[in-house]
Amino acid sequence: MNYWLQIKEFLLRGEQRIYYWIFTFSLLLPNVVLSVVMQQSMIGRVLNILLMLPLYMLVLLVAKRPGRVYWSLLVLVLLHMFQLVLLTIFSGSVVAVDMILNLFTSEPDEATELLSNILWPIIGSLVLYVPVLVLATFSARNPKTLTKRFRKRTALYALVLLIIALPIYIGAKRRFPYLHLRAEVYPMSVFYNMYLATKKLNQVFHYSYSSQDFAYGATSEHAEEEREVYVLVLGETSRAHSWSLYGYPRQTTPHLDTMSREALIPFRDVLTQSNTTYKSIPIILSPADASSAEELPRVRGILEAFKEAGFYTAFISNQPGNHSYVDFFAMQGDEHHSIRKELRREKRRLYDADMLPYLRQLLSSEHRKLFIVLHAYGAHFSYRDRYPACAQSFPVPRRYSGAAKDSLTLRNAYDNAIVETDRFLDGAIRLLGAQDRRSALLYVSDHGEDVYDDSRERFLHSSPDVSYYQLHVPLLLWFSPAYREAYPDVLRAVRANQQRAASTNAVFHTLLHIAGVKTRYRADSLSLASPSFAEGTRYYLNDRYECLPIEELDLAPEDLVLFKQKGLRIDPSLCVKP
């Protein structure tokens, strides 16, 4: 106890100048780290420090006891702690719009999965900042104050730094008009992202009103008495790189690998238009794509189009609700089943295969025309929770972390999740194949995933700076014998387009084309089942909802090499160099 009293007395007698510089450094720490690891221009790295350092210096001089100012900045300190934890997941990324939206749209169980695997980074952040907050308390209670001379001299230094920083920014702005402080300098960038996220949330909250007058005016080109069923399987976090169907050395898709290519047609060059479920699934389910994302609050989903054309529609999901356009689109069907709610009494972990009984029941119904969406949980983190332990193909120990040191284990668990997706798809195709109907199934993943694949040690998805692993997704079509016999022209067009470059916005138009659903919103130039399909420029909807060509995404050299190795269409000469 005597030692504690001595330490307490020492801290209370401490020099406020020492406290002041400790507080300044702790506030600037995220800027220093980001200037090293963030993928941005050199001018952005310089401004990240040169602009924020004098601002922090001036703010801490507002009071004679800087600890009081530091405590008044508690919200900013908490943001710094969150930012540093985030850097252990998404190296080089600031708190982005999609990350903020995820705070409001993720279910507790989904958030718990991630939090349980970043416990040590959270503890590390607490170890950094809690002691500084303790020092701020002693500073606030210390009878000593910053001297008038120190405050004047330090304020002068800060103003000199600002005078140096502002001309640098003005000159850079003239040379690079797209340069914005809100994009380059932390925490200004985060506050701007919060503003954008608030706007997007407001649009979602008012969706029922903004879309109430929308109609597809859809009709069916197929005979009314025709018995047909079309199934869209929405994959989750499944990257083409890890499918043996696309050349991965491990056998992760054994059922699909051996399936007849008369019936199964995989597309090899498909890129997602967003690396977040929140944006990519609405793009897949509607005519609003990356180039027209502003239309999302107005349009209704694909189930509405099929319903207008005379189909009985159903949306079955193994995903937790996320209070987004996805949920609204799901509820526009005749049936909507969230198996996580309906089967929760079974008190066991649910897998994508648990949706198959719902599919079986719908297929045995008397509805002549069916359109069914199965929203899988796929390979979403935590990977080992996506498959039964007894069914794992690659060894995964009971305990492991989400850190780079366990990268091999994480990839094993991820690959096991892909194997489970293969089993699930095989089960769905078998159910369709047993039907005396003209039927087709389309599978597409919303986006991919980084799993510590190279020296960059990137992990998960949703990061503002996207990678090859997050962009390249699997897309495949399966057709029943009855469909192939009835519509040989469609099959010829599908095979002709199999090797062509496409994006996930093709799914909406392809399904309408295959099912013979006619509407003014169907663009055959975007349909993989049409002879009119045109490759064109491929776009991506970035974190700030800006539509950019793939070549302008600041892809790293490692990503460009993989694009070339995989034979994906991209023009390296047009790529913006990091």
Side-chain angles (χ1 to χ4, degrees):
M1 181 63 71
N2 291 335
Y3 288 116
W4 166 243
L5 289 175
Q6 291 176 15
I7 292 171
K8 183 178 179 181
E9 185 178 349
F10 172 78
L11 291 172
L12 286 172
R13 293 199 314 265
E15 288 289 334
Q16 291 285 10
R17 289 180 302 172
I18 297 174
Y19 290 143
Y20 174 85
W21 290 115
I22 290 174
F23 301 153
T24 300
F25 176 75
S26 72
L27 290 175
L28 190 66
L29 180 59
N31 294 77
V32 174
V33 175
L34 283 167
S35 69
V36 174
V37 303
M38 193 172 179
Q39 189 170 300
Q40 64 176 164
S41 62
M42 181 54 68
I43 190 66
R45 299 175 193 272
V46 171
L47 289 173
N48 228 330
I49 296 176
L50 195 58
L51 192 61
M52 291 311 301
L53 173 59
L55 290 178
Y56 288 140
M57 290 170 64
L58 289 171
V59 168
L60 287 170
L61 291 172
V62 168
K64 295 180 180 180
R65 295 176 175 85
R68 296 180 179 181
V69 180
Y70 196 84
W71 266 108
S72 71
L73 299 174
L74 181 60
V75 172
L76 182 61
V77 172
L78 293 174
L79 176 61
H80 286 358
M81 294 170 67
F82 181 59
Q83 177 63 69
L84 291 176
V85 170
L86 181 71
L87 287 173
T88 67
I89 310 171
F90 304 116
S91 177
S93 297
V94 297
V95 180
V97 175
D98 291 316
M99 298 170 194
I100 297 168
L101 290 173
N102 285 339
L103 294 176
F104 296 93
T105 60
S106 295
E107 289 291 307
D109 59 343
E110 187 174 350
T112 301
E113 287 176 357
L114 181 57
L115 288 174
S116 63
N117 284 273
I118 57 172
L119 182 60
W120 285 112
I122 292 173
I123 292 174
S125 183
L126 290 171
V127 168
L128 278 173
Y129 280 96
V130 169
V132 181
L133 288 169
V134 172
L135 290 178
T137 302
F138 284 108
S139 170
R141 296 171 57 187
N142 195 323
K144 295 181 180 179
T145 62
L146 291 173
T147 65
K148 188 175 182 179
R149 182 170 177 266
F150 175 85
R151 294 172 75 193
K152 282 186 175 181
R153 187 175 68 247
T154 307
L156 180 62
Y157 293 156
L159 290 173
V160 169
L161 288 174
L162 276 178
I163 291 171
I164 294 172
L166 290 177
I168 291 176
Y169 170 69
I170 293 170
K173 182 71 173 175
R174 287 179 177 174
R175 185 176 178 184
F176 308 107
Y178 57 83
L179 185 73
H180 297 288
L181 292 179
R182 67 191 185 198
E184 299 290 339
V185 178
Y186 171 90
M188 298 181 192
S189 54
V190 177
F191 293 136
Y192 180 65
N193 289 346
M194 289 178 178
Y195 162 73
L196 291 178
T198 301
K199 284 183 62 177
K200 295 304 174 184
L201 285 172
N202 186 59
Q203 289 178 348
V204 173
F205 291 153
H206 292 88
Y207 173 77
S208 296
Y209 173 78
S210 61
S211 65
Q212 62 182 355
D213 296 327
F214 181 85
Y216 281 99
T219 58
S220 177
E221 298 172 324
H222 295 175
E224 185 177 348
E225 66 276 8
E226 188 173 311
R227 288 175 57 81
E228 52 187 338
V229 56
Y230 303 98
V231 175
L232 167 62
V233 181
L234 297 170
E236 170 66 58
T237 321
S238 194
R239 61 188 194 180
H241 179 80
S242 295
W243 284 45
S244 53
L245 186 67
Y246 292 96
Y248 189 54
R250 282 180 165 181
Q251 194 174 41
T252 53
T253 54
H255 295 95
L256 297 175
D257 292 344
T258 57
M259 206 169 284
S260 167
R261 290 300 177 265
E262 288 296 315
L264 185 73
I265 303 173
F267 289 79
R268 300 194 170 273
D269 189 357
V270 180
L271 304 183
T272 184
Q273 289 205 322
S274 170
N275 67 347
T276 67
T277 303
Y278 192 88
K279 297 201 296 279
S280 67
I281 294 297
I283 285 173
I284 290 170
L285 292 176
S286 79
D289 59 14
S291 62
S292 58
E294 68 279 358
E295 291 295 308
L296 274 173
R298 188 182 70 86
V299 303
R300 294 170 73 84
I302 193 171
L303 283 89
E304 181 72 22
F306 271 86
K307 191 158 61 172
E308 288 182 20
F311 283 77
Y312 186 83
T313 60
F315 194 104
I316 306 162
S317 178
N318 185 28
Q319 287 259 2
N322 63 0
H323 317 293
S324 70
Y325 295 115
V326 181
D327 288 352
F328 286 112
F329 291 168
M331 291 183 285
Q332 289 165 6
D334 294 301
E335 290 185 27
H336 173 221
H337 300 282
S338 174
I339 70 169
R340 286 179 162 243
K341 293 180 180 178
E342 295 182 10
L343 302 181
R344 65 180 180 274
R345 292 184 179 178
E346 297 191 14
K347 299 186 183 301
R348 64 175 177 86
R349 194 172 299 282
L350 297 176
Y351 305 107
D352 290 337
D354 288 305
M355 293 189 287
L356 294 180
Y358 289 84
L359 176 61
R360 184 182 295 109
Q361 185 174 354
L362 283 163
L363 293 177
S364 63
S365 68
E366 296 181 356
H367 302 291
R368 300 189 68 83
K369 295 179 182 291
L370 282 168
F371 177 65
I372 304 164
V373 178
L374 304 176
H375 194 184
Y377 215 10
H380 194 284
F381 190 81
S382 173
Y383 312 134
R384 66 179 172 189
D385 296 334
R386 305 296 160 242
Y387 57 89
C390 62
Q392 70 177 18
S393 301
F394 309 104
V396 176
R398 180 170 296 183
R399 293 185 179 276
Y400 64 91
S401 71
K405 65 183 180 66
D406 288 327
S407 59
L408 178 58
T409 296
L410 286 164
R411 280 196 293 276
N412 282 353
Y414 183 84
D415 289 349
N416 284 333
I418 301 298
V419 174
E420 184 64 19
T421 293
D422 175 71
R423 292 193 197 100
F424 167 60
L425 287 174
D426 180 64
I429 288 172
R430 286 178 182 276
L431 288 175
L432 287 173
Q435 292 283 306
D436 184 22
R437 294 175 185 256
R438 295 172 182 175
S439 57
L441 178 146
L442 188 153
Y443 170 88
V444 66
S445 179
D446 57 353
H447 53 73
E449 182 92 321
D450 287 308
V451 195
Y452 295 115
D453 300 285
D454 51 41
S455 60
R456 293 175 291 176
E457 295 191 347
R458 294 173 58 108
F459 188 40
L460 302 179
H461 59 274
S462 298
S463 54
D465 51 325
V466 72
S467 70
Y468 155 79
Y469 300 100
Q470 296 182 41
L471 282 171
H472 189 200
V473 295
L475 187 153
L476 56 88
L477 278 163
W478 175 89
F479 297 96
S480 70
Y483 187 97
R484 300 200 303 269
E485 183 180 350
Y487 302 107
D489 291 344
V490 171
L491 267 293
R492 276 193 292 272
V494 168
R495 295 189 188 284
N497 295 324
Q498 186 177 359
Q499 304 298 332
R500 305 185 74 184
S503 297
T504 47
N505 64 327
V507 172
F508 175 85
H509 307 278
T510 301
L511 282 168
L512 294 182
H513 194 132
I514 288 171
V517 175
K518 188 177 181 180
T519 167
R520 65 189 180 94
Y521 290 94
R522 186 180 107 186
D524 286 356
S525 62
L526 292 173
S527 169
L528 295 169
S530 171
S532 304
F533 174 77
E535 291 184 321
T537 301
R538 291 198 280 190
Y539 292 100
Y540 181 84
L541 191 63
N542 74 5
D543 177 67
R544 289 184 169 143
Y545 285 75
E546 299 164 333
C547 179
L548 298 175
I550 293 296
E551 285 81 3
E552 294 183 16
L553 291 182
D554 287 353
L555 293 171
E558 295 92 333
D559 298 315
L560 297 178
V561 168
L562 284 164
F563 265 79
K564 184 177 180 180
Q565 288 178 353
K566 301 293 182 179
L568 309 184
R569 197 202 70 189
I570 192 171
D571 188 345
S573 66
L574 298 178
C575 290
V576 178
K577 300 298 185 292

